[in-house]
Amino acid sequence: EMEAKYTRKMQALRDELDLRRKTEIHELEERKNTQISELIGNHEGAFGAIKNYYNDITAKNLTLINLLKEQVEELKKKEAVLEKEKADVVRENKGLTEPLHEAQELVAELQKKLVNYYRDKEALMKSKAHLKIAQKELKDLQWEHEVLEQRFSQVQEERDDLYQNFTRAINEVQQKTGYKNLLLERKLHGLLTLLEQKEVELSEVLAASNLDPSALSMVSHKLEDVLNSKNATIQDLQIQLARVCKAHNDMLQTFEAKLTAFGIPLDNLGFQPLSFPIPGQ
């Protein structure tokens, strides 16, 4: 009865929502049609205005074209008059060309001589100034060369010392880290083996003792506490092992960065530093 009741309610709700959806769709269609009609009216009005605007522009352009044609005719007439005047001026210029040409050649020759004189004078002054600057730069470079040679020798000594110290440190740290990792792994392996043995022994004891459920539950709780404690110990050892591996890898990265900074290639070490994988990765 409840299922039939809620089925009827669900059907009534669906009918109501369907009716509401149809009503909203009808309202949306009416608003859409109204907006479309308004847009069509607006577009037709705008099109008419643009059409009238371009008709006015076309009429103005035609008027302007006619006006420009008249101006072109007037300019052609003036050009013909100017051509005649230019021919007269050209005839006059031909009579003055030869004296002008001779005078221009003389002026050009004198200007060349004057330019060469100023050029030679300026070049001489620049050469003297460059000579003084070059002499001063030579002295500065000689002094800087001596200073750089001393600094280069000092940097070479520091590089050799750092190289020896880093090589010694990496060997010591790698040996210590490898030994510590080996101890931690052996300790972890021993604890896991001991835990398996204890679990087997406990299972045999429980099977042989035929304990009642309450006692068995108490023993199980104690066993869980012991297992949780052992698991926490294993997790701590794993965390310590991960820290040691990470510290070793970070030390290797720092060492390689220092060697790169001092321009020492890694091939000069004579051995390949090993990075330890972090447990759990």
Side-chain angles (χ1 to χ4, degrees), residues 4-60:
K5 179 181 178 182
Y6 282 103
T7 301
R8 290 192 298 274
K9 287 185 177 181
M10 181 67 70
Q11 186 62 37
L13 181 59
R14 285 180 178 174
D15 294 339
E16 181 182 355
L17 292 175
D18 191 18
L19 179 60
R20 184 183 301 174
R21 180 177 59 81
K22 290 180 179 180
T23 303
E24 291 177 353
I25 290 173
H26 181 68
E27 291 177 355
L28 286 173
E29 288 181 351
E30 288 182 354
R31 288 199 297 272
K32 181 189 70 174
N33 293 331
T34 303
Q35 291 179 356
I36 289 172
S37 300
E38 291 178 356
L39 287 173
I40 291 172
N42 293 333
H43 289 171
E44 289 178 352
F47 179 74
I50 291 173
K51 185 176 180 181
N52 294 330
Y53 173 72
Y54 281 105
N55 288 333
D56 294 339
I57 290 176
T58 303
K60 291 179 180 178

Side-chain angles (χ1 to χ4, degrees), residues 39-77:
L39 287 173
I40 291 172
N42 293 333
H43 289 171
E44 289 178 352
F47 179 74
I50 291 173
K51 185 176 180 181
N52 294 330
Y53 173 72
Y54 281 105
N55 288 333
D56 294 339
I57 290 176
T58 303
K60 291 179 180 178
N61 287 337
L62 291 174
T63 304
L64 182 60
I65 289 170
N66 293 327
L67 180 61
L68 290 174
K69 285 181 178 179
E70 294 177 356
Q71 292 179 357
V72 168
E73 293 295 333
E74 293 179 359
L75 290 174
K76 285 182 179 179
K77 293 178 182 179

Side-chain angles (χ1 to χ4, degrees), residues 76-210:
K76 285 182 179 179
K77 293 178 182 179
K78 291 181 179 179
E79 184 179 3
V81 174
L82 291 174
E83 286 292 335
K84 292 180 180 179
E85 294 178 355
K86 185 180 74 171
D88 296 336
V89 173
V90 168
R91 285 193 298 271
E92 293 178 359
N93 286 337
K94 285 182 179 179
L96 300 174
T97 300
E98 292 181 0
L100 179 62
H101 184 66
E102 293 176 356
Q104 286 178 347
E105 289 180 353
L106 180 60
V107 171
E109 185 177 357
L110 292 175
Q111 285 180 347
K112 287 181 180 179
K113 292 181 179 180
L114 182 62
V115 169
N116 291 330
Y117 170 75
Y118 285 125
R119 186 182 301 166
D120 295 338
K121 184 178 180 180
E122 185 177 0
L124 180 61
M125 294 177 65
K126 288 182 178 179
S127 298
K128 290 182 178 179
H130 285 309
L131 180 61
K132 291 182 179 179
I133 294 172
Q135 289 177 349
K136 185 177 182 302
E137 289 179 353
L138 178 61
K139 292 181 180 179
D140 295 339
L141 289 174
Q142 289 175 349
W143 181 78
E144 289 180 0
H145 178 70
E146 293 177 359
V147 173
L148 288 175
E149 282 184 348
Q150 295 176 1
R151 290 182 61 187
F152 178 72
S153 301
Q154 184 178 359
V155 169
Q156 277 187 333
E157 294 177 358
E158 293 177 356
R159 184 199 64 180
D160 294 337
D161 294 339
L162 286 174
Y163 176 73
Q164 293 176 0
N165 292 332
F166 272 123
T167 304
R168 191 182 308 110
I170 192 66
N171 290 329
E172 293 177 358
V173 173
Q174 190 169 10
Q175 291 176 359
K176 291 180 181 178
T177 305
Y179 181 69
K180 192 172 183 180
N181 288 342
L182 182 61
L183 291 178
L184 290 175
E185 289 177 356
R186 288 182 178 178
K187 189 175 182 180
L188 179 62
H189 181 70
L191 289 174
L192 291 174
T193 304
L194 181 62
L195 178 61
E196 291 177 357
Q197 293 177 358
K198 293 298 182 182
E199 288 180 351
V200 173
E201 292 175 1
L202 180 62
S203 299
E204 293 177 354
V205 170
L206 292 176
S209 60
N210 294 324

